[in-house]
Amino acid sequence: MASVTDLRRFPGFLAITLTCLVVLYAPLIVVAVYSFNASTSITNWGGFSLTWYVDVFTGPDAPKFQRAAINSLIIAVCAAVAATSIATAAAVAMTRAGRFKGKTLSFALINLPLMVPEVVTAVASLVFFSAIGFTTGLLTILVAHIVFCIPFAYLPISARMQSIPDTYEQAAMDLYATPRQAFTMVLLPLMTPGILSGFLLAFIISLDDFLITNFVKGAGVETLPTAIFGSVKQGIKPNIMAISTLMLGVSIVFVSLSWLIGRTGQNKK
Amino acid sequence: EGKLSIYHWFEYIPQELLDKFSEEYDVEVTMDTFDSNEALLASLKAGKLGSYDVAVPGDYMVEIMNGEGMLDTFEPSELSNFGNIEDKWLDVSFDQGRKSSIPYQWGSTSFSVNKDVYGGELDSLSLIFDPPAELKGKINVLDTAGETLTLASLYLGIPQCSSDREQLKELNALVQSAKADWASFGSDVAKDVLVSGDAAAGMIWSGFSAKARGEGANIEYVFPKEGMIVWMDNVVLLKDAPNRDNALKFMNFLLEPENAAAVTNYAQYTAGVKGVGEFLLPEVANSPESNPPADQKGEFVQACPEEVQVLYDAIWTNLKK
Amino acid sequence: MAAGAPMGAGTSSHIYEGNAPRLMAPSWIFIGFFLLAPVIMMAVYSFLTKEFRGGVIWEFSLAAYDQFFFDRGLFGDEPPSIEWTYIGIFWRSIWQAGLATFVCLLIGFPTAWFIATRDPQSRSIWLFLVTIPYWVNLLIRTVSMKFLIRDTGPLNEFLLQVGVIGEPLGLINTNFAVQLGLFYSYLPFMVLPIYAAVERYDFALSEAAADLYSGAWTTLRLIILPVVKPGIIAGCILVFVPSLGAFLAPDLLGGAKTFMIGSLIEEQFKGNAGNWPFGAAASMILLTIVLCILLVYARNQNKTEIR
Amino acid sequence: MASQDIAVSVDQVVKHYGNFTALHGVSLDIRESEFFTLLGPSGCGKTTLLRAIAGFESVSEGHILLKGEDLTGLPPHQRPVNTVFQQYALFPHMTVLENVMFGLLRKGWSKVEAVRRGQDVLDLVQLAEFAKRKPTQLSGGQQQRVALARALAPRPEVLLLDEPLSALDLKLRQSVRSELKALQRETGIAFIFVTHDQEEALTMSDRIAVMSNGRVQQIGSPKEIYEAPVNRFVADFVGETNLLDVEIASIDGGTASVVLPGGTPFTCPAATVLDPGRGHLSARPERIRITAPGDAHLDAVVTGHTYLGTDIQLQVRLSDGEVMSVRLQNSETTSVPEVGQTIGLQLEEGAARLLAD
Amino acid sequence: MASQDIAVSVDQVVKHYGNFTALHGVSLDIRESEFFTLLGPSGCGKTTLLRAIAGFESVSEGHILLKGEDLTGLPPHQRPVNTVFQQYALFPHMTVLENVMFGLLRKGWSKVEAVRRGQDVLDLVQLAEFAKRKPTQLSGGQQQRVALARALAPRPEVLLLDEPLSALDLKLRQSVRSELKALQRETGIAFIFVTHDQEEALTMSDRIAVMSNGRVQQIGSPKEIYEAPVNRFVADFVGETNLLDVEIASIDGGTASVVLPGGTPFTCPAATVLDPGRGHLSARPERIRITAPGDAHLDAVVTGHTYLGTDIQLQVRLSDGEVMSVRLQNSETTSVPEVGQTIGLQLEEGAARLLAD
Ligand SMILES: Nc1ncnc2c1ncn2[C@@H]1O[C@H](COP(=O)(O)OP(=O)(O)OP(=O)(O)O)[C@@H](O)[C@H]1O
Ligand SMILES: Nc1ncnc2c1ncn2[C@@H]1O[C@H](COP(=O)(O)OP(=O)(O)OP(=O)(O)O)[C@@H](O)[C@H]1O
Ligand SMILES: NCCCCN
Ligand SMILES: [Mg+2]
Ligand SMILES: [Mg+2]
């Protein structure tokens, strides 16, 4: 919407955003560029080559990394979906159910995963899980991820929900919507940005986790972080750069696709 | 025909070798990795014992794990290649008579110096603990209390696991004053900082230093006159191993000279197995890091008793507070 | 904007009154069973006797807390005085995390604002632009950042070639590098919640402020920030708390010369020390501090609910 | 009154907001097929009462019955009442038509029927061409009409309307008014209508409840409310009136003899049992005739005119300084006295009333 | 008119929203110290024009001048105008008093003075006791009053009011109206007042611009607008009127001879130059007298009554089926014909006007 002075614009915000993106992307550009390096070492440029991409698919470590990448994506998607759903329900309770017994306690509980140091979560979970005989590999990872993703999904979602007045839901219920319908048909659409934010945070936090995963995972089960962990600190290997670049590629394809789908969906309306 | 579950250091075994074992014995091999002896101990203690068949702890850790009852034993007769173990690694202090372990690789821990930065004599731990001006602020030390404090003790000529007050105070004072000259603490990054030039000198394991040199760092691995740390990593048979038979097959496999040599060619340390020579790459066989002077002093890191260990922990915490 | 309804920050509503138990149940089950129970176990551990090299002996002991708060000298035979070592480590971590939170807010708010004021179609594109880098593992990101800013890295080489600087900036192993790393690790945790809140902001309020002689920056300070406060607070929590326990950035970019809370606690479980009760005690103390901060926040939020 | 005839019964309802009491024991019976209006000043509790009936606000004390059944505890979506919200509360993510169809679809109408009905209702509020817009792209009055259409669409048993016409212009208001009236008659459902506009209340309602400060002051037909207000508040709030400070000579049943400010005696109906002494006489501006000064009830000087289109309002001052207003129909034949002129004012017998304070 | 006398000059302003044109070249001059009203149906562009003056909306074409200076490009916070927003836009995190003080503090008032002034203004709108509440804790009308107080507080050079009284009850509206008028006279600043309420427009304004579909239809004093509307739209929109389909016999200057539906000839003023043929005669309901049937201008049958308090409105039907309304002042002396009775209607000479479509 054009106006004499656009009240939405602040001088410098664009510059900050762009700086921000430069800082975020500069290291990744290094990764992407060096993934095409013919040499084994990151320090010297040995010419352009696709060796490392070939290596990702056919090299000796290929099956391990492929499985790890698939595991990571599956777990991240499942954990983010589950955590977002759980967090949304919790946010509704915290912002839309008035006062109830144990509300403050619930608030603390939801944020507990955030507050416990990662290594403590890791050790405690492992001790606890093995004590109760819960050691099935992927599932243990998933459960642990869901747990620590909840606050990351909850905080943006509840922040958003607080700023939506409940008159919309009241209007919906007045028009014979059950509370569930008022939720799905009115609150949820208004919540979209919050839920998207929560989902994305949960997703990337799950995709990134090393420590907890490493402790609770079953023997031989790998996620991308556990698969690449030690070797990275020594200086990233070109094949890992290639994998990372591929992950970036996948994410970009994924985002572009969802954008295109969203656009065609909108055009139809 | 069954499975094998390995708990190993990261980047310490070539995948091809695992594939070879897998193919030869028709065993499905999975491997998890750890980054320090203590991390290995912690996760086994927390509940992972029983999910792995073999692990690869360092010397003193074998002793500790044995003390914790985490190891299973085997008879030499169960390994047809048992005889391939080099004699000097057969009766080791941490596993007399090799009842639970076999040698994997051994090497040393000392430090390397970039010769572009420092041109002086390279023979003393003083380069790390009392560095010359050229190296001040450009030193990386290993981020593990055991190795760093042991090297410091060697520099001071103090025995390991000393509980003598004066000696400990001296040790504390030394590391405190040296810290001002250190740029960073880091174990995994020890090679990388030397290659990149972030550090001009750094504590490092012998094979790691050789790799750094291979990647173009103009460095020399120092054999200090005060002595260095010698270590040996060992394949141990874990208690409650789900696939004990396959574990023994694997240990036997690693005692084949050809296979031990494959590890050495990859990690650039030294195997504890007879007859590897013919399979080694010449540059590995002849690397200066793996061939210390004959009179070089070296010590294993000792596992201290509890009441002493807390003192070293306190010094370490104090160093990094 | 939003068809007239007054939008209140922190208004409480009762629409789903009575449904709270059902709505909270999944959180309680997941967190309660898979985290609270283990954490309670850890809390118990903190009052037990340590077992040498990890683990606990089932014997009550206050040794862990004693070690945290009281200094008895290296050999444990001096009269007790206050132990500043751990308090110092905690304080440094809190300061470090606070600074990182502030920097993230300073950069993250404008970014979130900028994104939220794009037209609806391009908003999600910008949002994804901010999150795409996080598909690459944190470790790889941090290592590449290290590669980038090291004295011999591309940044310094570029600046040297252009002639902006005469010698390398010496960024690596400094506090600045740690801050950069934390910023790089946690930025989206600030941007996304703020975005979600700003996206709903009613610009009629900005119009009203402008109409009442308020310039853009005054409007930002007096109207916009207070109204989107829930998002800002959420973002600050999400950056502050993980920064407290962060160890990758301090280790790799800062040179690991000092313990942060995260590495101190990790050392108790994974390091030489192997002192589980002490690690557990330090964790409980950290947990208590963060919990207090959070409950103050929750209390303030409840205060704004009048009904 | 048999309970079958009562659509909604509000029984001793009290509502507290913290320390503040918004409703002090309100009781009302709304009959079936009745157009019932809540009239009162801003903040008197009209919206609060409506929200309590709709189920959005719990009552602190008392009960609300719908056709004899206690609604306490029944959630809003199970109450067969629809509301036109004062702040509209249109769903911002839906188009105008989707907003209107919402309730129909929830009630299980087929999509096709819902679209048809939605379009019909939009036609009614003259918004058919805006069906595809989002609410934010509409003007304030247009939004209000969407809210109205949305609540009308599902043909509720009781329709609650919270100032649904306040943002509409006169013409549109008049047409929506008659539509509402027609709709109400046709469907025979009870309307509870909140307004602060007394003209609206008088023209549309079967009965009116005048509220003030969370209390009902009077319930009655428009004519009762306007012509026989029970107290000063009602007389003053509903329409304009002149309140003359008079001396009460005697009271006999419903009739009082008073002495007007100029000393003239006057006989008039009295609202309730009053003690002799001083009282207030309410005289509507349109019920005062202008005559020659001297032998009229009151003498006054004209101090100003206000042009009202249909009427002209005169401001006059009595000899004792009291100010009154007199309303003359605006026409060629009306002779409007000049400012400064002294005139006589004749109060219509029976139209001026003695009131309780 | 010299430009010094003009407070705000709107010059050929066009505003497009995408394909939709909200303002089609609007030109207006608002004089200093003038109470100027924009009157028009919902959606006609009143808010849009006001927002363009305040600087929230850029104009697609044309200019807006304040005291002769072009405002184009000047940001809202530098324009010495204040606005009462139609949707209030109260700051939700501030108390009522803080809302009102906001503009004062921005203009550099001291805190103490701002508090004093804030309380004064809250007194004016009868909200002093609510000073410490948050806007969400107020009723709709109370919120509107806060918005009014907030805009009044800093004493702007031009005050823009977007339907500031629509949620207020009659009594309060009347008192705020006179406060507004008084304030306007006292400060001598120009008020631009948006309303859809013609009574409000007629009583308060110095001049009125009647708008429709983004175009100005007529600008004039209340009397001009009401009694000499330039076209059918204005006559119909401002107040109620009867539009009779008549045959134009002849037009001479401003006077026309027409033939009424019943066949009676009639002479009346004509709005603009019109061609002979058929036309519309506007006759206000209050300007029609009831006489005996037969020798009146029109004969009609009474079909209904509406009680308006001050007046009684009759619905009547002419012999040709056309429906008209007639307004009688409600008094004891008025004899109201029964429904079904046949009556004569006499149009006042000069009060009925022949209009352009
Ligand atoms: N953002 C927008 N996009 C498209 N059309 C718009 C937008 N805002 C307003 N309009 C249209 O512009 C026209 C004028 O709107 P405006 O708000 O000026 O009306 P108004 O005269 O103030 O009406 P009301 O009395 O109902 O408030 C309306 O038809 C409205 O639908
Ligand atoms: N959430 C709340 N907290 C405290 N007081 C409130 C709250 N909501 C309303 N009130 C008060 O209750 C009283 C009645 O409010 P209500 O909304 O019913 O008034 P109303 O008669 O609808 O007025 P209006 O005509 O202005 O809409 C008002 O004085 C208002 O300030
Ligand atoms: N990379 C493995 C090093 C082992 C040191 N003990
Ligand atoms: Mg209300
Ligand atoms: Mg408007």
Side-chain angles (χ1 to χ4, degrees), chain E residues 130-173:
Chain E
F130 296 92
K132 292 241 162 67
R133 289 228 195 144
K134 292 279 173 76
T136 43
Q137 297 169 282
L138 297 180
S139 77
Q142 288 165 340
Q143 289 181 25
Q144 203 173 44
R145 279 181 274 159
V146 177
L148 185 60
R150 188 175 67 173
L152 281 175
R155 302 199 176 99
E157 287 195 30
V158 176
L159 188 67
L160 309 177
L161 305 104
D162 198 351
E163 315 203 9
L165 310 180
S166 69
L168 307 187
D169 60 82
L170 181 68
K171 274 281 109 75
L172 195 61
R173 201 156 66 215

Side-chain angles (χ1 to χ4, degrees), chain E residues 23 29 45 55 66 71 75 82 90 105 125 164 283 296 320 324 327 344 356:
Chain E
L23 298 175
D29 283 328
L66 185 81
L71 289 178
N82 282 3
L90 300 178
L105 296 176
V125 295
D320 65 347
M324 288 179 67
R327 194 181 261 238

Side-chain angles (χ1 to χ4, degrees), chain D residues 139-140, chain E residues 47 86 162-163:
Chain D
S139 77
Chain E
T47 298
Q86 190 170 8
D162 198 351
E163 315 203 9

Side-chain angles (χ1 to χ4, degrees), chain A residues 199-237:
Chain A
F199 177 85
L200 285 175
L201 285 185
F203 181 79
I204 63 182
I205 199 83
S206 162
L207 207 56
D208 246 1
D209 181 73
F210 166 73
L211 200 54
I212 296 174
T213 311
N214 194 39
F215 267 78
V216 303
K217 78 197 183 76
V221 182
E222 296 272 29
T223 63
L224 217 39
T226 64
I228 63 181
F229 185 67
S231 49
V232 170
K233 285 209 239 170
Q234 302 177 22
I236 318 173
K237 292 258 174 54

Side-chain angles (χ1 to χ4, degrees), chain A residues 234, chain B residues 9-12 37 58 109 147 205 208 231-233 267 269:
Chain A
Q234 302 177 22
Chain B
W9 290 83
F10 59 81
E11 290 284 302
Y12 205 7
N37 279 315
T109 308
E147 283 166 303
W205 303 302
F208 227 28
W231 49 260
M232 163 160 276
D233 292 331
Y269 298 110

Side-chain angles (χ1 to χ4, degrees), chain A residues 94-158:
Chain A
M94 298 298 286
T95 62
R96 291 279 196 274
R99 292 213 170 131
F100 58 90
K101 229 172 121 186
K103 186 170 181 178
T104 309
L105 208 62
S106 296
F107 179 75
L109 187 85
I110 290 168
N111 288 290
L112 187 67
L114 203 57
M115 298 182 295
V116 184
E118 226 187 326
V119 64
V120 177
T121 308
V123 173
S125 301
L126 177 55
V127 173
F128 183 74
F129 285 9
S130 53
I132 61 170
F134 180 50
T135 46
T136 45
L138 269 186
L139 191 63
T140 43
I141 304 180
L142 182 60
V143 166
H145 279 223
I146 291 173
V147 168
F148 70 70
C149 284
I150 288 174
F152 286 89
Y154 172 81
L155 285 167
I157 289 174
S158 78

Side-chain angles (χ1 to χ4, degrees), chain D residues 170-171 196 198 236 331 348, chain E residues 168 170-171 198 236 331:
Chain D
L170 180 69
K171 275 282 109 77
H196 55 254
Q198 43 115 358
D236 196 32
S331 83
E348 289 184 10
Chain E
L168 307 187
L170 181 68
K171 274 281 109 75
Q198 43 115 358
D236 196 32
S331 83

